[in-house]
């Protein structure tokens, strides 16, 4: 089995940077949710824009994210089997102008000292943020270490077609300090790599390395 841990961001960093290692992603998750809430409050018309998924609007994506945030692990799993609706009836009933406050409330719930958020839960938020940021042409300023951790988690769980790309190429995030995969280097942006691993885009386009 491939030792994916060697592709973590810290594998290419000085030892002095290891203080950023964490298993609790509540703080960066809270920051991203707050950024999304601020974005929707200043640009409410953006809810009608289409995301990277055909037929899925920003409004749809936000309601999906809110549903996943409020579900327990078993509900999330059951939804993949068609046992639960996305969005949930509670979230579907929210008026459009209540979506931003709902995101802000979720951000606040993750800001406390005892709040916990796994890398997989954080990945759901990060992928949604990158998707919405791309749709709205806004850079939400994702931390490089955070995007790298999510990329590795997604790579471990990637289905065979995407994993085959990781076997043939090394996806190198030119705007961060991490890479994932094996084989010849394919330099790309961190966001395009994460979106590809999440199934929100094709193989990342090559970009010039700085």
């Amino acid at each position: 089995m491939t030792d994916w841990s060697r592709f973590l961001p810290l594998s290419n960093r000085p030892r002095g940077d290891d203080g950023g290692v964490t298993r609790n992603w509540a703080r960066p998750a809270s920051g991203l949710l707050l950024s999304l809430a601020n974005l929707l409050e200043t640009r409410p018309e953006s809810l009608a824009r289409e995301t990277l998924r055909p037929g899925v609007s920003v409004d749809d994506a936000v309601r999906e994210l809110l549903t996943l945030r409020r579900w327990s692990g078993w509900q999330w799993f059951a939804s993949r089997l068609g046992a639960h609706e996305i969005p949930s009836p509670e979230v579907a009933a929210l008026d459009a102008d209540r979506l931003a406050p709902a995101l802000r409330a979720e951000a606040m719930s993750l800001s406390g000292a005892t709040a916990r958020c796994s890398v997989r839960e954080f990945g759901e938020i990060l992928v949604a943020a990158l998707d919405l940021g791309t749709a709205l042409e806004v850079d939400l300023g994702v931390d490089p270490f955070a995007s790298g951790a999510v990329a590795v988690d997604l790579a471990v769980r990637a289905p065979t077609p995407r994993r085959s790309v990781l076997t043939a190429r090394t996806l190198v995030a030119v705007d961060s300090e991490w890479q994932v995969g094996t084989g010849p280097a394919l330099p790309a942006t961190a966001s395009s790599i994460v979106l590809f691993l999440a199934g929100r885009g094709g193989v990342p386009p090559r970009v010039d390395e700085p």
Side-chain angles (χ1 to χ4, degrees), residues 25-43 62 65-66 69 99-111 122 125-126 129 132 138-141:
W25 297 91
R27 181 173 297 180
S30 177
L32 271 181
L33 288 170
L34 190 59
S35 295
L36 288 175
N38 292 336
L39 180 60
L40 293 185
E41 285 177 340
T42 56
R43 297 173 57 182
V62 170
L65 177 58
L66 286 170
R69 282 297 311 150
L99 294 179
L103 286 172
R104 191 177 298 278
E106 289 296 326
M108 291 300 296
S109 72
L110 289 169
S111 63
F122 174 62
I125 297 172
L126 175 61
L132 298 181
V138 173
D139 182 4
L140 295 174

Side-chain angles (χ1 to χ4, degrees), residues 42-72:
T42 56
R43 297 173 57 182
E45 74 283 354
S46 65
L47 288 169
R49 295 277 291 271
E50 189 173 85
T51 66
L52 295 175
R53 291 177 290 171
V56 178
S57 67
V58 171
D59 183 289
D60 297 331
V62 170
R63 292 178 192 274
E64 176 183 291
L65 177 58
L66 286 170
T67 297
L68 294 176
R69 282 297 311 150
R70 298 177 184 198
W71 274 355
S72 63

